[in-house]
Amino acid sequence: MSPFWLSIYVASIAVSIIVVTGLALCFFMKQCPRQVRGIIDAIVTLPLVLPPVVVGFILLMIFSPGNSLGRWLDTHGMGIVFSVVGAILASTVIAFPLFYQTVRASIESVDHDMEDVARTLGASELRIFFTISIPLAWKGLLTGVILSFCRAMGEFGATILIAGNMPGITRTMPLAIYSLVEEGNYTDAFTIVGYICILTLSLLWGIHIVTKGKLFSAHE
C-alpha cells in the first residue's frame, strides 16, 4: 500500500477496536466504585501523557519474539513486531485515551433523571447505556471517533519502534515523511504533509458542522 492508504487502513482498524473496547470500558466504569475508577482512569490515560516512544518500547518488550508471549504469537503465525498488526496495535494504544476520555465525559453529562426513569420501568443497565446514555451522548461519541482517528493516523513514535519502517508494509504517512526528509526529498515530504493537514482539518471541521451547526438542530 501507499503511505496514504496504509495510514487510512491502520487508523480505520484501530478506531474500530477503540470504539468497541472504549464503549465496553465506559459501561464498566459506570458500574465501578468511585475508588476503582480513579485507578483505571490513570492507567487508561497513561499513553496520552507518556512519550509515544516510551509506549512503543513497552509494546516492543511485551510482544518481542524474545519474550514468551511474543514467541508464542510468532510460533502460531500471529507475530506483531515489524508487521502491520504492530502498527495497528501502536495506533490503538496511543489513540484510545482520546476516545475514552471524550466519550466518558459526554456520558457523565447526560441527564441522569432519564436513566433513573428507565430503571424504575425495569430496564437493565446495559439497555439504559445503549438506548439512553449513548444516544444522548452522540456528540461526544462522534468527537471521540474523529479525534482518535486523527491521532491514530498521525502516530509515529510507538509505530516506528514496534512496527518498523518498511515500505508498503508498515510505512505510514508520518514514517514516510521521516524517510523522505532523511533522503533530502522535501518536495514529496511536503506533499504528504499537505495530505495529512487537509484530511485532518476536514475531519475536525466536520465535527464542528455536525455538533455545533444546524444539521441536527430540528431534532434537538
Side-chain angles (χ1 to χ4, degrees), residues 79-143:
I80 289 178
V81 177
F82 302 127
S83 70
V84 69
V85 178
I88 293 170
L89 176 63
S91 295
T92 300
V93 172
I94 292 294
F96 183 85
L98 272 176
F99 176 85
Y100 168 73
Q101 294 292 354
T102 304
V103 174
R104 184 164 175 244
S106 186
I107 289 173
E108 287 181 347
S109 67
V110 168
D111 186 358
H112 296 298
D113 289 342
M114 298 186 69
E115 296 177 336
D116 291 337
V117 169
R119 289 187 184 96
T120 61
L121 295 174
S124 66
E125 291 298 325
L126 189 63
R127 184 175 182 182
I128 292 170
F129 183 75
F130 282 104
T131 60
I132 296 177
S133 303
I134 292 299
L136 290 176
W138 70 267
K139 290 183 179 181
L141 179 61
L142 177 62
T143 302

Side-chain angles (χ1 to χ4, degrees), residues 8-208:
I8 299 295
Y9 173 76
V10 168
S12 298
I13 299 297
V15 168
S16 300
I17 298 170
I18 287 168
V19 170
V20 173
T21 55
L23 290 178
L25 183 58
C26 286
F27 174 75
F28 174 75
M29 291 290 279
K30 281 178 70 74
Q31 323 305 319
C32 269
R34 191 176 298 272
Q35 297 83 353
V36 179
R37 291 181 199 171
I39 298 172
I40 297 176
D41 260 341
I43 295 172
V44 171
T45 308
L46 202 56
L48 189 63
V49 296
L50 283 176
V53 173
V54 173
V55 178
F57 180 76
I58 293 171
L59 293 175
L60 183 62
M61 291 298 99
I62 294 172
F63 295 102
S64 170
N67 294 325
S68 55
L69 177 59
R71 193 180 308 116
W72 184 87
L73 290 171
D74 258 9
T75 303
H76 291 79
M78 297 181 289
I80 289 178
V81 177
F82 302 127
S83 70
V84 69
V85 178
I88 293 170
L89 176 63
S91 295
T92 300
V93 172
I94 292 294
F96 183 85
L98 272 176
F99 176 85
Y100 168 73
Q101 294 292 354
T102 304
V103 174
R104 184 164 175 244
S106 186
I107 289 173
E108 287 181 347
S109 67
V110 168
D111 186 358
H112 296 298
D113 289 342
M114 298 186 69
E115 296 177 336
D116 291 337
V117 169
R119 289 187 184 96
T120 61
L121 295 174
S124 66
E125 291 298 325
L126 189 63
R127 184 175 182 182
I128 292 170
F129 183 75
F130 282 104
T131 60
I132 296 177
S133 303
I134 292 299
L136 290 176
W138 70 267
K139 290 183 179 181
L141 179 61
L142 177 62
T143 302
V145 168
I146 299 300
L147 290 178
S148 58
F149 180 87
C150 292
R151 184 65 188 87
M153 187 176 60
E155 168 49 33
F156 174 83
T159 303
I160 198 170
L161 275 183
I162 190 172
N165 186 13
M166 294 177 284
I169 302 175
T170 62
R171 182 172 288 179
T172 56
M173 284 193 286
L175 297 179
I177 292 169
Y178 172 78
S179 299
L180 291 168
V181 170
E182 273 199 325
E183 296 166 5
N185 189 347
Y186 294 97
T187 302
D188 288 346
F190 184 78
T191 301
I192 298 177
V193 168
Y195 289 156
I196 293 178
C197 291
I198 291 171
L199 181 55
T200 303
L201 284 172
S202 299
L203 291 171
L204 294 177
W205 180 70
I207 292 177
H208 176 79

